[in-house]
Amino acid sequence: MSVQPARSPRALSRRRFLQAASGLGSLVVLGALPTAAEGATLPALTAAQLTGAMAALPKTGTVKLPGGKSARVSDVRVAAAAFAVADAASPNPATNPVAALGVLCALAAWSGRNGTLDLSGTLPKSPVRPLRLALPRLPSGVSSVAYGSALPPALVVRPKASLVLVGTLAAHRVLAALEDPARPVAGHPRLELVVLRAADVAGLLSVLHAKLDSTGTVVLLASGSKVPLRPLQSALATRLLHAAGVRFVDQTPIQPPVATSPVLTTEPVVPAPPASIVPAYARVSQAPDGRVLALDAGGTPVGRAMTPAGHSWSWVGGSAATSYLLDYTPREYADAIGVRMGTTIEPGQVGAGYVEQNGIWSRPAVNQRYVATLETIANRIDYAGYNLFVVFNQFTSDTWRSVVTDWSKVSEQLDAGVVPTGFPYYWDEADQVLAFAQAHALPMTAGGLVFGSVGTPDSITQGGFGAADLAKILEFSVRARVLHLRGRLDEWHVVSEAAADILYGDAAQRFWYDQLGEQIIDQAYRWVRHDDPATKLSIDEDGILKYDDARLRPKFLGFLQHFKDAGVPVDRAMIENNMWIYLPPDKVEMVGVLQQIQGMGYEIGAAQTTVVTEDVWPTWTGRPKAVSVSDPLAAQAAIYRDVAEAYLQVAAPLRLARSAWNFGEGLQIVE
């Protein structure tokens, strides 16, 4: 099971919260839909406040649960501390007492026993002591009771529900969490924050032969025990009152519409729409299909909150012209049905790399619109910025020669799993893209380890190196990149377009194969698997599903059969479908080729597809046309559809991206 703690205060890392939460095991404390009143901007918890609060908590020990059970302090102290010391009036998710309260209520509710969650020895500053009381039946034996004066309005309580009493509010009201087993989520009763009149609470307590005292602040149990309900301070009471109706366990709003299990997120409360994105709205509401919408006074959606893959909540604004923004995105649909959908990326748009202006180099500004679009169309990134020309762009022939001269030392470091030191690598731009991908919950694929089509630097080809030295240079260039990224990628495209390079390439594109033979492909995969054993390895090739030359497909399929026979560690075959509307593919033929590859034991790694609409093929002006086309865009759409249907028919992944060759503005289906 997953656990939803309070989102970490700024001085406390996200990782530490997730580590703390992981020990709670059976708890699933998920998300919240606040009212518009949550939107006020108030101060966040300071580092000094947090430090003091954490110091006040013991490092070891247990929290007593009803029935003699206990939970480790280390499992709850972080989340509970955020609640105990947070600026109670702050709606900032960085100091979110509502989510932390959910952890405490869940501890009480899912212990399965009546009684008080005793936090006195562990969390002396906690403003609450949750009291769980199971309700085997309702007053007068009715099947349900609707409380019109409760929050949320018309709250329904059923037999076998449980109340977790939290504290008292003004006007004779009680804050509680309602545990409703009649509406389970992922095997757990729904746990919802509610506000009830003290008189209504007293009526429910009567079935347990318990009652409230005359002040409405003490529960008198049938055993004679007295359990005081602590009055909630004004600021905290206001904050929690606004959260009435929050569902600590639910599939929405943070779950895909067809989710079957909760998703871990550290931001359970949707922030209010910023005025810069949603200028005017009357309220925030949740649509029946799970979308979180900002509505105007007439009930028309004008904004939508999204949290891709559990990442930060963000808002998009909509109008009559951009109403599509308020619908579910391709990424959300892909996540919901388990389809991998990726995109290429332009580094400068996400603030990676450097730009020069008036002789001064600086990081480019992040294009927020580009980022927002990227987050909606893809759930992973394919990036070629770790290729030979980028990482080793500062290497001269002398630098490469030093690799060979110092091979004993270089080889020793490689075999020890260390990137060889003392060389002028350039990782900056690519690492910035990787950091962006990780921050936006986008697994990343990288390639270009052996890629003849992009050429080979003159510092290597013109360096006067023999075959033995070139083998060392290639091993160094491949393994240094793999070790730098070990465990941080979703997939390595190890060798790219080898069949096309060998059959059609010029001397620069065939360089490695001419100098070292085709067997160097096998060795490259063995190097990568040795240095990064957990990452998937793929080979990619262009034109396998539709091409003019009958030699290409047999050459590629021959590689795959050889890999299988020789035990070369290749996991996936990724096909680049750079297609043309005047030479459309046959869907039955595509399915047959894909199934043939799968029959060899390979995964289909991607459907990297660009459909060119130009009248002349960009890299082959004399390429013959097979059909005439009256509507280029319709013909393009038909090919995209056929490719997607072929891949889905064989249960292969898809990927959407803008054309890598910049042919028009069509989308690619690439993974």
Side-chain angles (χ1 to χ4, degrees), residues 54-414:
M54 296 302 291
L57 297 174
K59 298 292 189 293
T60 60
T62 59
V63 178
K64 294 179 182 179
L65 297 177
K69 295 185 178 181
S70 62
R72 293 177 300 171
V73 170
S74 58
D75 293 339
V76 298
R77 62 189 299 273
V78 177
F83 174 51
V85 303
D87 177 347
S90 173
N92 190 316
T95 57
N96 181 4
V98 176
L101 177 60
V103 174
L104 301 182
C105 289
L107 279 171
W110 296 330
S111 67
R113 300 295 184 92
N114 284 350
T116 301
L117 180 65
D118 184 3
L119 301 170
S120 58
T122 305
L123 300 171
K125 293 188 177 182
S126 176
V128 299
R129 294 179 63 198
L131 169 64
R132 180 184 186 270
L133 296 170
L135 303 173
R137 61 185 184 281
L138 296 179
S140 303
V142 297
S143 59
S144 66
V145 178
Y147 293 98
S149 57
L151 292 175
L155 174 72
V156 176
V157 180
R158 300 173 178 82
K160 298 184 180 179
S162 297
L163 277 180
V164 179
L165 302 178
V166 176
T168 60
L169 303 167
H172 302 288
R173 292 177 298 173
V174 176
L175 183 72
L178 177 66
E179 181 189 23
D180 187 355
R183 294 184 295 166
V185 177
H188 288 288
R190 179 183 302 221
L191 189 65
E192 183 174 9
L193 193 64
V194 302
V195 176
L196 289 163
R197 295 185 309 164
D200 294 329
V201 172
L204 293 171
L205 293 178
S206 66
V207 302
L208 301 172
H209 306 289
K211 60 182 180 180
L212 289 174
D213 73 353
S214 58
T215 66
T217 61
V218 177
V219 178
L220 304 175
L221 299 176
S223 63
S225 301
K226 298 180 179 180
V227 180
L229 298 178
R230 298 183 179 180
L232 298 175
Q233 298 174 358
S234 175
L236 179 59
T238 300
R239 172 70 171 103
L240 297 178
L241 185 63
H242 287 157
V246 162
R247 290 179 289 258
F248 291 120
V249 181
D250 207 344
Q251 292 178 309
T252 55
I254 62 176
Q255 308 304 312
V258 295
T260 57
S261 61
V263 175
L264 181 65
T265 173
T266 53
E267 296 196 44
V269 176
V270 184
S276 59
I277 297 177
V278 186
Y281 71 98
R283 60 192 175 91
V284 173
S285 183
Q286 186 177 338
D289 63 7
R291 288 175 299 152
V292 178
L293 302 174
L295 308 177
D296 65 15
T300 300
V302 292
R304 181 181 167 221
M306 297 183 294
T307 174
H311 184 57
S312 303
W313 281 103
S314 60
W315 281 89
V316 294
S319 64
T322 60
S323 58
Y324 65 90
L325 293 174
L326 306 182
D327 198 359
Y328 279 112
T329 66
R331 176 176 183 171
E332 289 172 307
Y333 282 122
D335 287 341
I337 64 175
V339 171
R340 291 186 296 163
M341 184 177 290
T343 179
T344 54
I345 190 170
E346 297 179 25
Q349 300 287 350
V350 299
Y354 297 91
V355 294
E356 187 261 340
Q357 186 174 10
N358 300 324
I360 299 175
W361 289 88
S362 61
R363 291 277 296 276
V366 175
N367 183 338
Q368 296 295 347
R369 183 173 181 179
Y370 176 92
V371 171
T373 301
L374 185 149
E375 284 189 318
T376 62
I377 68 170
N379 56 17
R380 61 197 56 241
I381 287 174
D382 187 15
Y383 182 56
Y386 288 101
N387 67 48
L388 199 61
F389 276 98
V390 175
V391 174
F392 305 102
N393 65 31
Q394 299 178 55
F395 278 49
T396 65
S397 293
D398 286 340
T399 311
W400 292 114
R401 194 165 289 109
S402 68
V403 171
V404 175
T405 302
D406 297 335
W407 184 246
S408 177
K409 176 183 176 182
V410 169
S411 179
E412 181 180 354
Q413 289 181 301
L414 291 172

